Amino acid sequence: MMKTLMEFYELVNGLKPVVVMVVVQVAYGGVNVLYKLAISNGMSARIIAAYRYIFATVFMIPLALYFEKKSITKLTWTVLFQAFLCGLFGGSLSQNLYLESLVLISPTFATAIFNLVPAITFILAISFGLEIVGLKTPAGKAKVLGTVMGISGAMLLTFYKGPEINVWKTNINLLKHHQSHQTHLASSSSSHILGCLLASGNSIGYALWLIVQAKMSATYPYPYSSTALMSLMGSIQATVYAICIEKDWSAWKLGWNIRLLTTIYAGMFIAGLMTTLVIWCVRKKGPLFVSIFSPLMLVCTALAGSILLNENLHVGSMGGAALIVCGLYAVLWGKNKEMKKVSQLVPLRTFQETEKIEVVVSSLKNDNDNNHSNVEHCNKDMTTADDFLQKQDK
Protein backbone atom coordinates (compact mmCIF):
# COMPACT_ATOMS: atom_id res chain seq x y z
CA MET A 1 0.00 0.00 0.00
CA MET A 2 2.80 2.38 0.93
CA LYS A 3 4.63 1.57 -2.30
CA THR A 4 1.50 2.34 -4.32
CA LEU A 5 1.08 5.69 -2.57
CA MET A 6 4.71 6.58 -3.21
CA GLU A 7 4.37 5.72 -6.90
CA PHE A 8 1.20 7.82 -7.14
CA TYR A 9 2.97 10.73 -5.42
CA GLU A 10 5.90 10.50 -7.84
CA LEU A 11 3.48 10.40 -10.79
CA VAL A 12 1.65 13.52 -9.60
CA ASN A 13 4.96 15.28 -8.94
CA GLY A 14 6.16 14.43 -12.44
CA LEU A 15 2.98 15.79 -14.02
CA LYS A 16 3.15 19.16 -12.23
CA PRO A 17 5.39 20.91 -14.79
CA VAL A 18 3.24 19.61 -17.65
CA VAL A 19 -0.01 20.83 -16.06
CA VAL A 20 1.57 24.19 -15.19
CA MET A 21 2.75 24.80 -18.76
CA VAL A 22 -0.67 23.86 -20.20
CA VAL A 23 -2.32 26.39 -17.84
CA VAL A 24 0.24 29.02 -18.86
CA GLN A 25 -0.44 28.55 -22.58
CA VAL A 26 -4.22 28.70 -22.07
CA ALA A 27 -3.76 32.00 -20.20
CA TYR A 28 -1.51 33.31 -22.99
CA GLY A 29 -4.19 32.43 -25.54
CA GLY A 30 -6.71 34.51 -23.60
CA VAL A 31 -4.46 37.57 -23.41
CA ASN A 32 -4.00 37.51 -27.21
CA VAL A 33 -7.74 38.04 -27.63
CA LEU A 34 -7.67 40.94 -25.14
CA TYR A 35 -4.67 42.47 -26.90
CA LYS A 36 -6.56 42.46 -30.19
CA LEU A 37 -9.61 44.05 -28.58
CA ALA A 38 -7.56 46.79 -26.88
CA ILE A 39 -5.61 47.62 -30.04
CA SER A 40 -8.87 47.67 -32.04
CA ASN A 41 -10.19 50.11 -29.45
CA GLY A 42 -7.34 52.48 -30.31
CA MET A 43 -4.95 51.81 -27.41
CA SER A 44 -1.25 52.18 -28.22
CA ALA A 45 0.76 48.96 -28.22
CA ARG A 46 3.64 50.73 -26.44
CA ILE A 47 1.36 51.91 -23.65
CA ILE A 48 -0.07 48.39 -23.24
CA ALA A 49 3.47 47.05 -22.76
CA ALA A 50 4.31 49.77 -20.21
CA TYR A 51 1.14 49.25 -18.17
CA ARG A 52 1.61 45.47 -18.30
CA TYR A 53 4.88 45.62 -16.38
CA ILE A 54 3.81 48.47 -14.11
CA PHE A 55 0.87 46.39 -12.87
CA ALA A 56 3.08 43.29 -12.66
CA THR A 57 5.66 45.14 -10.52
CA VAL A 58 3.04 46.49 -8.10
CA PHE A 59 1.52 43.00 -7.80
CA MET A 60 4.71 40.91 -7.48
CA ILE A 61 6.89 42.95 -5.10
CA PRO A 62 4.61 42.37 -2.06
CA LEU A 63 4.41 38.64 -2.88
CA ALA A 64 8.20 38.42 -3.17
CA LEU A 65 8.69 40.21 0.16
CA TYR A 66 6.16 37.94 1.87
CA PHE A 67 7.22 34.53 0.51
CA GLU A 68 10.93 35.10 -0.12
CA LYS A 69 12.31 37.56 2.43
CA LYS A 70 15.74 35.89 2.39
CA SER A 71 16.13 36.62 -1.33
CA ILE A 72 17.04 40.24 -0.56
CA THR A 73 20.28 39.17 1.09
CA LYS A 74 21.18 37.09 -1.99
CA LEU A 75 21.04 40.03 -4.40
CA THR A 76 24.30 40.70 -6.23
CA TRP A 77 25.30 42.91 -9.14
CA THR A 78 25.34 39.82 -11.35
CA VAL A 79 21.75 38.96 -10.41
CA LEU A 80 20.64 42.55 -11.05
CA PHE A 81 22.32 42.53 -14.46
CA GLN A 82 20.65 39.21 -15.32
CA ALA A 83 17.31 40.69 -14.17
CA PHE A 84 17.93 43.67 -16.48
CA LEU A 85 18.50 41.30 -19.41
CA CYS A 86 15.39 39.29 -18.48
CA GLY A 87 13.34 42.50 -18.34
CA LEU A 88 14.70 43.44 -21.76
CA PHE A 89 14.54 40.16 -23.71
CA GLY A 90 11.52 38.63 -21.97
CA GLY A 91 9.77 41.89 -21.15
CA SER A 92 9.89 45.31 -22.77
CA LEU A 93 11.61 44.39 -26.04
CA SER A 94 9.72 41.19 -26.83
CA GLN A 95 6.34 42.61 -25.82
CA ASN A 96 6.77 45.79 -27.86
CA LEU A 97 7.81 43.77 -30.90
CA TYR A 98 4.89 41.37 -30.50
CA LEU A 99 2.26 44.06 -29.91
CA GLU A 100 3.52 46.12 -32.85
CA SER A 101 3.30 43.02 -35.05
CA LEU A 102 -0.37 42.67 -34.09
CA VAL A 103 -1.00 46.07 -35.66
CA LEU A 104 0.43 44.91 -39.00
CA ILE A 105 -0.56 41.23 -39.20
CA SER A 106 -3.29 39.03 -37.76
CA PRO A 107 -3.01 37.60 -34.22
CA THR A 108 -3.07 34.05 -35.57
CA PHE A 109 -0.16 34.76 -37.90
CA ALA A 110 1.84 36.49 -35.14
CA THR A 111 1.16 33.61 -32.77
CA ALA A 112 2.21 31.11 -35.45
CA ILE A 113 5.56 32.85 -35.91
CA PHE A 114 6.01 32.71 -32.15
CA ASN A 115 6.24 28.94 -32.56
CA LEU A 116 9.76 29.44 -33.86
CA VAL A 117 10.70 29.70 -30.16
CA PRO A 118 11.31 25.94 -29.65
CA ALA A 119 13.69 25.77 -32.61
CA ILE A 120 15.52 28.95 -31.61
CA THR A 121 15.70 27.87 -27.96
CA PHE A 122 16.97 24.43 -28.95
CA ILE A 123 19.81 26.00 -30.96
CA LEU A 124 20.65 28.51 -28.22
CA ALA A 125 20.47 25.87 -25.47
CA ILE A 126 22.95 23.72 -27.39
CA SER A 127 25.23 26.74 -27.90
CA PHE A 128 25.21 27.57 -24.18
CA GLY A 129 25.65 23.94 -23.14
CA LEU A 130 22.20 23.65 -21.53
CA GLU A 131 21.04 20.88 -23.86
CA ILE A 132 22.74 17.94 -25.59
CA VAL A 133 21.49 16.91 -29.02
CA GLY A 134 22.32 13.21 -28.66
CA LEU A 135 21.14 12.24 -32.15
CA LYS A 136 22.51 8.73 -31.64
CA THR A 137 20.19 8.15 -28.68
CA PRO A 138 16.41 7.56 -28.84
CA ALA A 139 15.85 10.47 -26.43
CA GLY A 140 17.77 12.91 -28.65
CA LYS A 141 15.97 11.78 -31.77
CA ALA A 142 12.63 12.17 -29.99
CA LYS A 143 13.44 15.75 -28.93
CA VAL A 144 14.46 16.79 -32.44
CA LEU A 145 11.51 15.01 -34.06
CA GLY A 146 9.05 16.42 -31.53
CA THR A 147 10.32 19.97 -32.05
CA VAL A 148 9.98 19.65 -35.82
CA MET A 149 6.49 18.15 -35.50
CA GLY A 150 5.37 20.94 -33.16
CA ILE A 151 6.54 23.69 -35.49
CA SER A 152 5.13 21.88 -38.55
CA GLY A 153 1.77 21.51 -36.85
CA ALA A 154 1.70 25.21 -35.99
CA MET A 155 2.52 26.15 -39.57
CA LEU A 156 -0.16 23.78 -40.91
CA LEU A 157 -2.73 25.22 -38.53
CA THR A 158 -2.00 28.72 -39.78
CA PHE A 159 -1.34 28.44 -43.51
CA TYR A 160 -3.68 25.63 -44.57
CA LYS A 161 -7.39 26.05 -44.01
CA GLY A 162 -9.18 23.36 -45.98
CA PRO A 163 -12.89 22.69 -45.60
CA GLU A 164 -14.71 24.56 -42.88
CA ILE A 165 -15.83 22.67 -39.76
CA ASN A 166 -19.03 23.98 -38.20
CA VAL A 167 -18.63 22.43 -34.75
CA TRP A 168 -20.40 25.33 -33.06
CA LYS A 169 -21.69 28.75 -34.00
CA THR A 170 -21.84 31.32 -31.21
CA ASN A 171 -22.53 34.39 -33.38
CA ILE A 172 -20.37 36.32 -30.88
CA ASN A 173 -17.98 38.89 -32.31
CA LEU A 174 -16.48 41.12 -29.63
CA LEU A 175 -14.40 43.02 -32.17
CA LYS A 176 -17.38 44.89 -33.62
CA HIS A 177 -18.08 46.33 -30.15
CA HIS A 178 -14.52 47.68 -29.80
CA GLN A 179 -13.74 49.11 -33.23
CA SER A 180 -11.58 52.20 -33.14
CA HIS A 181 -12.37 55.32 -35.13
CA GLN A 182 -8.69 55.64 -36.04
CA THR A 183 -7.44 54.74 -39.50
CA HIS A 184 -5.63 51.42 -39.55
CA LEU A 185 -2.66 50.67 -41.74
CA ALA A 186 -3.60 49.38 -45.13
CA SER A 187 -2.74 45.80 -45.88
CA SER A 188 0.32 45.62 -48.12
CA SER A 189 3.24 43.34 -48.79
CA SER A 190 5.67 45.74 -47.08
CA SER A 191 3.62 45.99 -43.88
CA HIS A 192 3.11 42.24 -43.91
CA ILE A 193 6.87 41.62 -44.17
CA LEU A 194 7.57 44.17 -41.42
CA GLY A 195 4.98 42.51 -39.18
CA CYS A 196 6.59 39.11 -39.74
CA LEU A 197 10.03 40.51 -38.91
CA LEU A 198 8.71 42.08 -35.70
CA ALA A 199 7.05 38.80 -34.68
CA SER A 200 10.28 36.92 -35.46
CA GLY A 201 12.21 39.38 -33.29
CA ASN A 202 9.79 38.65 -30.46
CA SER A 203 10.51 34.92 -30.81
CA ILE A 204 14.27 35.50 -30.65
CA GLY A 205 13.87 37.76 -27.60
CA TYR A 206 11.71 35.21 -25.78
CA ALA A 207 14.19 32.42 -26.53
CA LEU A 208 17.06 34.55 -25.21
CA TRP A 209 15.05 35.23 -22.06
CA LEU A 210 14.62 31.50 -21.44
CA ILE A 211 18.40 31.02 -21.69
CA VAL A 212 19.23 33.96 -19.40
CA GLN A 213 16.50 32.91 -16.97
CA ALA A 214 17.99 29.40 -16.77
CA LYS A 215 21.37 30.92 -15.84
CA MET A 216 19.78 33.28 -13.31
CA SER A 217 17.71 30.53 -11.67
CA ALA A 218 20.87 28.50 -11.04
CA THR A 219 22.30 31.20 -8.74
CA TYR A 220 19.09 32.93 -7.63
CA PRO A 221 16.40 30.23 -7.13
CA TYR A 222 13.57 32.54 -6.05
CA PRO A 223 10.72 32.59 -8.61
CA TYR A 224 8.65 35.35 -6.97
CA SER A 225 11.66 37.62 -6.53
CA SER A 226 12.93 36.86 -10.03
CA THR A 227 9.56 37.82 -11.50
CA ALA A 228 9.43 40.99 -9.39
CA LEU A 229 12.92 42.04 -10.51
CA MET A 230 12.17 41.24 -14.14
CA SER A 231 8.88 43.20 -13.98
CA LEU A 232 10.60 46.17 -12.33
CA MET A 233 13.30 46.30 -15.00
CA GLY A 234 10.75 45.76 -17.78
CA SER A 235 8.46 48.50 -16.44
CA ILE A 236 11.30 51.04 -16.37
CA GLN A 237 12.44 50.16 -19.89
CA ALA A 238 8.93 50.00 -21.41
CA THR A 239 7.75 53.21 -19.70
CA VAL A 240 10.79 55.23 -20.80
CA TYR A 241 10.33 53.97 -24.37
CA ALA A 242 6.58 54.72 -24.39
CA ILE A 243 7.07 58.23 -22.96
CA CYS A 244 9.63 59.02 -25.66
CA ILE A 245 7.24 57.90 -28.42
CA GLU A 246 3.78 58.81 -27.10
CA LYS A 247 3.58 62.59 -26.68
CA ASP A 248 -0.19 62.69 -26.07
CA TRP A 249 -0.79 62.14 -22.34
CA SER A 250 -4.49 61.49 -22.90
CA ALA A 251 -3.53 58.17 -24.50
CA TRP A 252 -2.39 56.94 -21.06
CA LYS A 253 -5.84 57.31 -19.51
CA LEU A 254 -7.58 54.11 -18.43
CA GLY A 255 -11.33 53.95 -17.93
CA TRP A 256 -13.70 51.17 -16.95
CA ASN A 257 -13.34 49.52 -20.34
CA ILE A 258 -11.43 46.91 -22.30
CA ARG A 259 -8.18 48.86 -21.86
CA LEU A 260 -8.19 48.53 -18.08
CA LEU A 261 -9.19 44.86 -18.25
CA THR A 262 -6.42 44.09 -20.74
CA THR A 263 -3.65 45.83 -18.78
CA ILE A 264 -4.67 44.32 -15.44
CA TYR A 265 -4.99 40.80 -16.87
CA ALA A 266 -1.75 41.09 -18.86
CA GLY A 267 0.10 42.63 -15.91
CA MET A 268 -0.98 40.86 -12.74
CA PHE A 269 -2.03 37.50 -14.15
CA ILE A 270 0.25 37.00 -17.19
CA ALA A 271 3.43 38.99 -16.43
CA GLY A 272 3.03 38.25 -12.72
CA LEU A 273 1.66 34.81 -11.84
CA MET A 274 2.22 33.08 -15.19
CA THR A 275 5.81 34.32 -15.47
CA THR A 276 6.48 33.00 -11.96
CA LEU A 277 5.22 29.58 -13.05
CA VAL A 278 7.36 29.69 -16.20
CA ILE A 279 10.46 30.56 -14.12
CA TRP A 280 9.68 27.63 -11.81
CA CYS A 281 9.43 25.29 -14.80
CA VAL A 282 12.67 26.61 -16.31
CA ARG A 283 14.45 25.82 -13.03
CA LYS A 284 12.90 22.35 -12.83
CA LYS A 285 13.02 21.18 -16.44
CA GLY A 286 15.14 23.61 -18.45
CA PRO A 287 14.37 26.16 -21.18
CA LEU A 288 13.67 23.63 -23.95
CA PHE A 289 10.90 21.96 -21.92
CA VAL A 290 9.20 25.33 -21.46
CA SER A 291 9.56 26.47 -25.07
CA ILE A 292 8.12 23.29 -26.56
CA PHE A 293 4.70 24.15 -25.09
CA SER A 294 4.46 27.41 -27.05
CA PRO A 295 2.53 25.81 -29.97
CA LEU A 296 -0.34 25.18 -27.56
CA MET A 297 -0.88 28.94 -27.41
CA LEU A 298 -1.77 28.90 -31.09
CA VAL A 299 -4.38 26.21 -30.50
CA CYS A 300 -5.85 28.19 -27.59
CA THR A 301 -5.86 31.39 -29.66
CA ALA A 302 -7.66 29.65 -32.52
CA LEU A 303 -10.28 28.23 -30.16
CA ALA A 304 -10.77 31.56 -28.37
CA GLY A 305 -11.09 33.30 -31.73
CA SER A 306 -13.73 30.85 -32.91
CA ILE A 307 -15.77 31.26 -29.71
CA LEU A 308 -15.41 34.99 -28.97
CA LEU A 309 -14.51 36.54 -32.33
CA ASN A 310 -16.74 34.40 -34.54
CA GLU A 311 -13.82 32.87 -36.45
CA ASN A 312 -14.30 29.53 -38.20
CA LEU A 313 -12.32 26.32 -37.62
CA HIS A 314 -11.02 24.34 -40.58
CA VAL A 315 -9.58 20.92 -41.33
CA GLY A 316 -6.10 22.41 -41.36
CA SER A 317 -6.62 23.69 -37.82
CA MET A 318 -7.56 20.27 -36.50
CA GLY A 319 -4.69 18.55 -38.35
CA GLY A 320 -2.18 21.10 -37.05
CA ALA A 321 -3.46 20.65 -33.49
CA ALA A 322 -2.99 16.88 -33.77
CA LEU A 323 0.61 17.33 -34.97
CA ILE A 324 1.32 19.70 -32.10
CA VAL A 325 0.05 17.21 -29.51
CA CYS A 326 2.13 14.40 -31.04
CA GLY A 327 5.21 16.63 -31.08
CA LEU A 328 4.73 17.54 -27.43
CA TYR A 329 4.43 13.88 -26.49
CA ALA A 330 7.66 13.03 -28.36
CA VAL A 331 9.67 15.77 -26.64
CA LEU A 332 8.28 14.92 -23.21
CA TRP A 333 9.16 11.27 -23.75
CA GLY A 334 12.72 12.23 -24.74
CA LYS A 335 13.15 14.53 -21.73
CA ASN A 336 11.80 11.82 -19.41
CA LYS A 337 14.31 9.30 -20.74
CA GLU A 338 17.15 11.77 -20.19
CA MET A 339 16.06 12.52 -16.61
CA LYS A 340 15.94 8.81 -15.78
CA LYS A 341 19.46 8.33 -17.15
CA VAL A 342 20.79 11.23 -15.07
CA SER A 343 19.15 9.90 -11.90
CA GLN A 344 20.79 6.52 -12.48
CA LEU A 345 24.28 8.05 -12.92
CA VAL A 346 24.16 10.34 -9.87
CA PRO A 347 24.47 7.59 -7.21
CA LEU A 348 27.45 6.05 -9.06
CA ARG A 349 29.24 9.41 -9.27
CA THR A 350 28.62 10.16 -5.59
CA PHE A 351 29.92 6.76 -4.45
CA GLN A 352 33.10 7.03 -6.49
CA GLU A 353 33.90 10.55 -5.27
CA THR A 354 33.32 9.51 -1.63
CA GLU A 355 35.53 6.49 -2.02
CA LYS A 356 38.43 8.55 -3.42
CA ILE A 357 38.16 11.12 -0.66
CA GLU A 358 38.45 8.39 1.98
CA VAL A 359 41.63 7.07 0.35
CA VAL A 360 43.21 10.54 0.37
CA VAL A 361 42.38 11.08 4.07
CA SER A 362 43.81 7.71 5.08
CA SER A 363 46.98 8.44 3.15
CA LEU A 364 47.71 11.39 5.44
CA LYS A 365 48.95 8.93 8.04
CA ASN A 366 51.96 8.17 5.83
CA ASP A 367 55.04 10.31 5.33
CA ASN A 368 55.16 13.28 2.99
CA ASP A 369 56.55 11.37 0.02
CA ASN A 370 53.79 8.77 0.20
CA ASN A 371 51.21 11.52 0.59
CA HIS A 372 52.30 13.16 -2.64
CA SER A 373 52.28 9.93 -4.63
CA ASN A 374 48.93 8.75 -3.23
CA VAL A 375 47.22 12.05 -4.02
CA GLU A 376 48.53 11.97 -7.60
CA HIS A 377 47.32 8.37 -7.94
CA CYS A 378 43.84 9.23 -6.62
CA ASN A 379 43.56 12.28 -8.88
CA LYS A 380 44.42 10.06 -11.82
CA ASP A 381 41.74 7.56 -10.76
CA MET A 382 39.13 10.28 -10.40
CA THR A 383 39.99 11.65 -13.86
CA THR A 384 39.61 8.17 -15.31
CA ALA A 385 36.24 7.74 -13.58
CA ASP A 386 35.01 11.12 -14.85
CA ASP A 387 36.09 10.21 -18.39
CA PHE A 388 34.15 6.96 -18.09
CA LEU A 389 31.02 8.80 -16.90
CA GLN A 390 31.27 11.32 -19.76
CA LYS A 391 31.45 8.48 -22.25
CA GLN A 392 28.39 6.93 -20.61
CA ASP A 393 26.52 10.25 -20.87
CA LYS A 394 27.28 10.41 -24.58
Side-chain angles (χ1 to χ4, degrees):
M1 180 66 179
M2 184 61 67
K3 184 179 179 181
T4 305
L5 290 175
M6 288 297 294
E7 290 177 351
F8 178 74
Y9 176 77
E10 291 178 359
L11 177 63
V12 172
N13 247 3
L15 288 176
K16 278 184 182 179
V18 178
V19 175
V20 165
M21 286 311 304
V22 171
V23 171
V24 167
Q25 297 306 322
V26 171
Y28 282 173
V31 81
N32 284 330
V33 175
L34 291 177
Y35 277 159
K36 185 62 179 178
L37 294 176
I39 291 174
S40 298
N41 189 251
M43 190 173 186
S44 169
R46 292 173 284 271
I47 294 177
I48 294 177
Y51 271 127
R52 169 184 169 122
Y53 290 104
I54 291 173
F55 279 114
T57 303
V58 174
F59 181 67
M60 290 306 302
I61 287 180
L63 291 179
L65 293 175
Y66 180 79
F67 289 107
E68 298 170 347
K69 294 180 181 178
K70 296 181 179 179
S71 65
I72 300 177
T73 60
K74 303 294 183 179
L75 281 176
T76 62
W77 287 110
T78 302
V79 172
L80 290 176
F81 178 67
Q82 290 173 336
F84 175 84
L85 293 179
C86 287
L88 178 65
F89 294 131
S92 58
L93 178 61
S94 62
Q95 279 301 302
N96 273 289
L97 290 174
Y98 181 73
L99 288 168
E100 289 294 342
S101 71
L102 289 180
V103 179
L104 300 173
I105 58 178
S106 67
T108 306
F109 206 139
T111 308
I113 296 176
F114 186 75
N115 288 286
L116 293 173
V117 170
I120 297 172
T121 306
F122 189 61
I123 296 172
L124 291 175
I126 294 172
S127 303
F128 286 96
L130 299 177
E131 287 286 340
I132 300 175
V133 181
L135 286 176
K136 295 182 179 180
T137 64
K141 293 177 181 177
K143 286 194 301 181
V144 174
L145 179 63
T147 302
V148 173
M149 289 178 66
I151 298 174
S152 301
M155 297 300 105
L156 176 64
L157 191 151
T158 304
F159 297 113
Y160 174 72
K161 290 186 176 181
E164 184 177 323
I165 301 176
N166 294 316
V167 179
W168 55 70
K169 201 70 174 177
T170 61
N171 293 322
I172 300 174
N173 188 359
L174 298 180
L175 278 177
K176 64 183 180 181
H177 300 294
H178 298 282
Q179 291 298 327
S180 173
H181 296 291
Q182 68 180 15
T183 303
H184 293 280
L185 292 173
S187 176
S188 63
S189 59
S190 59
S191 63
H192 182 78
I193 293 173
L194 179 58
C196 293
L197 291 176
L198 291 173
S200 300
N202 166 55
S203 301
I204 296 173
Y206 190 84
L208 286 170
W209 169 65
L210 290 176
I211 300 298
V212 176
Q213 185 59 58
K215 295 287 187 181
M216 181 177 174
S217 297
T219 56
Y220 193 72
Y222 304 102
Y224 290 102
S225 300
S226 296
T227 306
L229 287 173
M230 173 184 168
S231 300
L232 177 61
M233 298 295 182
S235 64
I236 295 173
Q237 296 163 3
T239 302
V240 170
Y241 174 68
I243 290 175
C244 293
I245 302 298
E246 299 293 338
K247 304 299 183 181
D248 185 9
W249 288 102
S250 62
W252 289 81
K253 292 182 180 179
L254 296 176
W256 295 100
N257 50 25
I258 190 64
R259 302 186 182 194
L260 180 63
L261 175 62
T262 300
T263 51
I264 290 178
Y265 180 84
M268 294 184 177
F269 192 66
I270 300 299
L273 291 179
M274 294 300 107
T275 302
T276 303
L277 294 177
V278 171
I279 291 174
W280 177 82
C281 284
V282 169
R283 183 166 174 260
K284 290 288 184 181
K285 293 290 187 178
L288 179 62
F289 178 88
V290 172
S291 67
I292 200 64
F293 281 86
S294 59
L296 280 179
M297 181 172 60
L298 183 55
V299 178
C300 297
T301 303
L303 291 175
S306 66
I307 296 173
L308 301 176
L309 305 180
N310 200 28
E311 295 180 354
N312 297 320
L313 293 176
H314 299 81
V315 172
S317 303
M318 304 304 292
L323 270 178
I324 290 171
V325 173
C326 293
L328 288 176
Y329 177 79
V331 173
L332 292 175
W333 182 86
K335 293 295 292 183
N336 185 52
K337 293 285 287 185
E338 284 186 347
M339 294 301 294
K340 285 183 178 180
K341 184 178 180 181
V342 171
S343 63
Q344 290 173 356
L345 290 176
V346 167
L348 176 61
R349 186 185 299 269
T350 304
F351 172 77
Q352 288 181 343
E353 289 176 353
T354 305
E355 185 180 19
K356 297 305 175 184
I357 291 172
E358 290 177 355
V359 174
V360 174
V361 172
S362 64
S363 67
L364 293 176
K365 296 179 182 179
N366 300 325
D367 54 23
N368 292 333
D369 294 335
N370 290 333
N371 283 343
H372 183 69
S373 61
N374 284 337
V375 169
E376 288 182 347
H377 178 68
C378 292
N379 288 336
K380 184 178 180 181
D381 288 344
M382 291 177 68
T383 303
T384 304
D386 287 339
D387 292 340
F388 173 76
L389 286 170
Q390 290 177 4
K391 291 179 180 179
Q392 291 294 321
D393 290 340
K394 293 179 181 179

